[in-house]
Amino acid sequence: MSKNHRNRLTRVFFPHGTEPDPRFTLANERTFLAWIRTALAFLAGGLAAYAFADSSEADASIWRAVSVLMPAAAAALALLAIVRWVRVERAIRNSRPLPAPLAAPLLIFVIFAVAAVAISLDVL
């Protein structure tokens, strides 16, 4: 397929390389959507922490901090998801090795931090 048949958005984000097998592009999109679902779960967790802060006997300031940090982590995960999607798509189109995931370390850090807070408050 020539560059003239590609839509404008594709030409802007992926100006070089060849059209990949659609299965690879669709797999990349499924991975992107999995990261977005994870970000939405973090956002919901932040809202739950905010509601829990008002009804908990535990230190409400810690729960309020969690209720701010979880949506911030959700926003960071969503941003990293789109960056990863573009980087992987470019690698596929240019027959280069796939880049390492940037979001995984952030996700692991946030999960451990929230678990540590929950354990310290005797929630788990």
Side-chain angles (χ1 to χ4, degrees), residues 20-45:
D21 183 333
R23 292 174 294 179
F24 299 128
T25 296
L26 294 173
N28 191 25
E29 285 183 19
R30 284 191 300 273
T31 303
F32 167 75
L33 292 173
W35 282 111
I36 294 299
R37 283 191 303 271
T38 303
L40 288 171
F42 271 66
L43 184 60

Side-chain angles (χ1 to χ4, degrees), residues 1-92:
M1 184 178 282
S2 72
K3 282 189 176 184
N4 295 336
H5 292 101
R6 297 166 72 192
N7 69 35
R8 189 172 77 139
L9 187 64
T10 303
R11 288 190 310 264
V12 168
F13 282 104
F14 313 114
H16 306 292
T18 59
E19 289 294 317
D21 183 333
R23 292 174 294 179
F24 299 128
T25 296
L26 294 173
N28 191 25
E29 285 183 19
R30 284 191 300 273
T31 303
F32 167 75
L33 292 173
W35 282 111
I36 294 299
R37 283 191 303 271
T38 303
L40 288 171
F42 271 66
L43 184 60
L47 293 173
Y50 180 76
F52 192 67
D54 291 336
S55 65
S56 174
E57 292 178 14
D59 189 1
S61 62
I62 292 175
W63 285 111
R64 285 194 182 93
V66 169
S67 71
V68 170
L69 293 176
M70 297 253 323
L77 280 174
L79 179 65
L80 289 172
I82 192 68
V83 168
R84 175 156 175 82
W85 178 78
V86 169
R87 290 177 68 208
V88 168
E89 192 68 21
R90 285 180 180 163
I92 291 170

Side-chain angles (χ1 to χ4, degrees), residues 52 58 63 115-124:
F52 192 67
W63 285 111
V117 168
I119 289 170
S120 71
L121 293 176
D122 240 358
V123 174
L124 295 180

